[in-house]
């Protein structure tokens, strides 16, 4: 019996038209979402705010996240529903104050308590005016100015003389003065201890250490061996003391995806983690920041930078909430696709196609194997090109998908001097990304010493598609007669 396959055949002639329709639909989605959120700039173009502002020289960020809390159309530091934070975490809130403001506040508090204890001494001495306890004379209680001086003397030292130049302070009748002086001394010791700890935490805080970690002004997206790669460059200026356990993470903020999640009644989340290929995040994405180093993300089927409409109808295994990497499938670590006939999983589409062809030969040699639902089923053979179709991304696809996205890069490590953890944060939007380029070499040796040229740190060079044998040889030739030689000698070419 000749099988009927016309109704189940796959037509590929209209693939380009379908892709164009999806692009136009995506552009309309951008316009609709932007209208709802009033995200328009002065040129009436969709505008999406940055989470990480570039507000430091050398095109760097201040490691601050531009997020505010809103409650009842107000933007307070702490909404009323979160006022409990002020009492539960007041110490860390105070550590966030500017240093000058913190010192002035603590000094004011110290003098305020000196003034309060001075009034207590005036009150105790005036309560029994004819009892001499060393503060005032009989019938003449101590004045406020003298009490302030005595209170200040009590806070700063224990080897002092009483204002009335007597030792009546030790008499049993002066027990209230003895208790008050003891309390002020205990308070002074506790305040001095707190002041020392506070100033140490303030001056030794490691959050400012992140300013020494530099990020490249531009990120790069390039296509190599059919794969799209996202690159950034990082470098720690304080290279003599390497950062301990430094590692890098990537996140992607997508406003359009966030709005679409709300429409689909999904759990909304603005940020999505991005897997890192180099340095391998399976090994912790550990980096050595004392020399400029690149971090690379593979824009694959599972990447948040891949347009969602390109993922449809592709035979990739889903992560069911987990973030996978195609590179793990290519290396054989995890399966990437499944055979719809027998349910076997395979790492790549090439192995799936070989599996189909081999089992088809075996089944055709056995007459007992039925035709329908097997590897030799003509309907299955017609679907094989669709089952083994790979993800195809164009430059325009990436540009359209990156319009609302912000890629956040976080370098985290331990400062080696005070052993405090710090983070350096930077971000890239579409206007901060260059295509088909590479970073210019910035590491050189100068008179036998390794030098990082910060003038070249942000430089971007156009990438050439191939390199000749002569250009290979030129990589080991000196590029200057003055003794300055690049590790990659040909500085003005990128391959």
């Amino acid at each position: 019996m000749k099988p009927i396959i016309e109704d189940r055949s796959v037509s590929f002639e209209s693939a380009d038209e379908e892709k164009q329709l999806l692009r136009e639909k995506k552009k309309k989605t951008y316009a609709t979402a932007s209208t709802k959120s009033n995200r328009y700039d002065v040129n009436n173009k969709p505008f999406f705010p940055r989470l990480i502002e570039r507000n430091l020289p050398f095109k760097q960020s201040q490691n601050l996240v531009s997020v505010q809390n809103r409650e009842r159309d107000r933007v307070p530091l702490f909404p009323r529903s979160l006022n409990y934070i002020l009492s539960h975490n007041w110490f860390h809130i105070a550590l966030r104050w500017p240093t000058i403001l913190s010192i002035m506040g603590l000094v004011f508090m110290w003098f305020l308590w000196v003034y309060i204890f001075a009034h207590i001494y005036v009150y105790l001495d005036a309560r029994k005016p004819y009892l001499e306890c060393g503060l005032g004379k009989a019938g003449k209680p101590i004045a406020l100015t003298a009490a302030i001086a005595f209170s200040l003397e009590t806070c700063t030292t224990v080897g002092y003389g009483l204002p009335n130049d007597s030792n009546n302070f030790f008499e049993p009748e002066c027990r209230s003065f003895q208790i008050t002086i003891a309390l002020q001394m205990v308070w002074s010791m506790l305040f001095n201890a707190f002041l020392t700890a506070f100033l140490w935490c303030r001056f030794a805080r490691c959050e400012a250490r992140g300013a020494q970690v530099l990020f490249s002004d531009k990120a790069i997206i390039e296509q190599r061996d059919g794969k799209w790669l996202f690159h950034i460059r990082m470098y720690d200026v304080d290279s003599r003391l390497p950062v301990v356990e430094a590692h890098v993470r990537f996140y992607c903020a997508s406003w359009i995806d966030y709005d679409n999640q709300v429409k689909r009644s999904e759990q909304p989340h603005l940020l999505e983690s991005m897997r890192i290929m180099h340095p391998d995040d399976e090994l912790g994405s550990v980096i050595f920041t004392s020399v400029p180093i690149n971090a690379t993300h593979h824009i694959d089927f599972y990447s948040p930078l891949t347009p969602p409409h390109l993922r449809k109808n592709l035979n990739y295994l889903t992560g069911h909430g987990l973030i996978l990497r195609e590179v793990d499938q290519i290396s054989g670590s995890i399966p990437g696709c499944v055979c719809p006939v027998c349910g076997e999983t395979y790492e790549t589409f090439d192995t799936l196609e070989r599996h189909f062809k081999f089992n088809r030969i075996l089944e055709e040699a056995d007459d007992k194997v039925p035709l329908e639902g097997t590897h030799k089923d003509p309907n299955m053979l017609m679907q094989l090109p669709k089952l083994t179709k790979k993800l195809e991304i164009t430059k325009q696809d990436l540009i359209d998908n990156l319009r609302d996205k912000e890629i956040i890069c976080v370098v985290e490590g331990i400062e080696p001097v005070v052993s405090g953890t710090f983070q350096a944060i930077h971000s890239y939007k579409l206007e901060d990304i260059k295509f088909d380029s590479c970073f210019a070499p910035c590491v050189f040796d100068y008179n036998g010493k390794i030098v990082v040229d910060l003038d070249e740190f942000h430089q971007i060079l156009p990438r050439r598609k191939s390199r000749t044998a002569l250009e290979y040889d030129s990589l080991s030739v000196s590029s200057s007669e003055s003794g300055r030689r690049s590790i990659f000698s040909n500085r003005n070419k990128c391959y």
Side-chain angles (χ1 to χ4, degrees), residues 229-245:
L229 304 175
F230 172 86
H231 307 281
I232 67 164
R233 176 188 273 179
M234 306 158 292
Y235 171 58
D236 181 19
V237 178
D238 191 7
S239 54
R240 290 182 176 271
L241 293 175
V243 177
V244 180
E245 291 294 331

Side-chain angles (χ1 to χ4, degrees), residues 7 106 118 134-135 239 319 460 494:
D7 295 337
L106 291 173
L135 296 182
S239 54
I460 302 293
C494 182

Side-chain angles (χ1 to χ4, degrees), residues 105-152:
L106 291 173
V107 171
F108 173 78
M109 185 181 299
W110 188 80
F111 276 109
L112 177 63
W113 279 99
V114 169
Y115 184 75
I116 291 175
F117 273 102
H119 273 279
I120 295 176
Y121 292 129
V122 171
Y123 168 75
L124 293 177
D125 201 31
R127 191 179 60 172
K128 297 179 180 181
Y130 294 99
L131 177 63
E132 291 190 12
C133 291
L135 296 182
K137 295 181 180 180
K140 188 178 180 181
I142 187 173
L144 179 61
T145 54
I148 292 175
F150 175 70
S151 178
L152 182 64

Side-chain angles (χ1 to χ4, degrees), residues 20-32 254 256-257 260 306-309 397-405:
Q20 185 64 26
L21 290 174
L22 289 172
R23 285 181 181 174
E24 294 178 359
K25 184 177 179 181
K26 189 172 183 65
K27 291 180 180 179
K28 292 181 181 179
T29 304
Y30 279 116
T32 304
S254 176
I256 297 298
D257 292 345
N260 290 335
T306 299
H309 67 272
D397 290 331
L398 292 175
I399 293 176
D400 293 339
N401 193 52
L402 287 171
R403 296 186 190 278
D404 70 308
K405 290 178 172 51

Side-chain angles (χ1 to χ4, degrees), residues 16 35 46 53 56 73 85 94 96 108 126 144 160 182 218 242 249 258 265 312-313 321 360 362-363 385 391 429 445:
D16 295 336
T35 303
E53 297 288 346
L56 285 182
D73 296 329
I85 296 178
R96 294 288 184 178
F108 173 78
L144 179 61
Y160 54 79
K218 302 293 183 182
R249 299 194 302 271
Y258 187 77
S265 299
K312 295 181 179 179
N313 301 323
R360 177 188 175 188
L362 295 180
E363 292 173 357
L391 177 67
K429 299 191 74 174
D445 67 68

Side-chain angles (χ1 to χ4, degrees), residues 253-422:
S254 176
W255 293 99
I256 297 298
D257 292 345
Y258 187 77
D259 294 337
N260 290 335
Q261 290 165 5
V262 176
K263 294 177 182 178
R264 297 191 298 263
S265 299
E266 298 178 359
Q267 299 295 338
H269 56 278
L270 182 62
L271 293 182
E272 187 172 349
S273 300
M274 298 170 56
R275 299 295 301 270
I276 299 179
M277 186 174 67
H278 176 77
D280 190 359
D281 59 12
E282 291 283 348
L283 303 177
S285 300
V286 181
I287 57 177
F288 185 73
T289 58
S290 292
V291 293
I293 185 172
N294 296 347
T296 302
H297 166 75
H298 179 202
I299 306 177
D300 56 10
F301 176 84
Y302 307 99
S303 171
L305 305 185
T306 299
H309 67 272
L310 297 181
R311 301 192 185 108
K312 295 181 179 179
N313 301 323
L314 294 180
N315 187 27
Y316 284 85
L317 287 179
T318 60
H320 295 282
L322 298 179
I323 303 175
L324 306 180
R325 297 187 305 180
E326 270 191 49
V327 66
D328 295 327
Q329 300 170 357
I330 298 173
S331 61
S333 300
I334 60 174
C337 52
V338 61
C339 174
V341 177
C342 60
E344 287 287 340
T345 56
Y346 296 90
E347 289 76 15
T348 63
F349 291 126
D350 295 332
T351 55
L352 175 60
E353 189 172 0
R354 288 196 295 268
H355 161 77
F356 245 95
K357 292 180 179 179
F358 180 72
N359 281 273
R360 177 188 175 188
I361 296 174
L362 295 180
E363 292 173 357
E364 288 179 346
D366 190 352
D367 297 335
K368 297 180 180 180
V369 177
L371 180 64
E372 185 177 357
T374 60
H375 295 87
K376 63 180 181 178
D377 188 345
N379 294 319
M380 290 296 178
L381 295 177
M382 289 297 297
Q383 292 186 15
L384 184 59
K386 184 177 180 180
L387 293 174
T388 57
K389 183 181 178 182
K390 298 180 181 179
L391 177 67
E392 297 179 357
I393 308 176
T394 64
K395 178 179 176 180
Q396 189 60 42
D397 290 331
L398 292 175
I399 293 176
D400 293 339
N401 193 52
L402 287 171
R403 296 186 190 278
D404 70 308
K405 290 178 172 51
E406 181 179 1
I407 301 171
I408 301 173
C409 308
V410 181
V411 172
E412 188 176 42
I414 301 174
E415 207 280 328
V417 177
V418 297
S419 299
T421 303
F422 72 92

Side-chain angles (χ1 to χ4, degrees), residues 71-82:
E71 185 182 56
R72 299 175 184 176
D73 296 329
R74 297 184 300 110
V75 187
L77 178 61
F78 286 100
R80 294 179 179 177
S81 58
L82 299 179

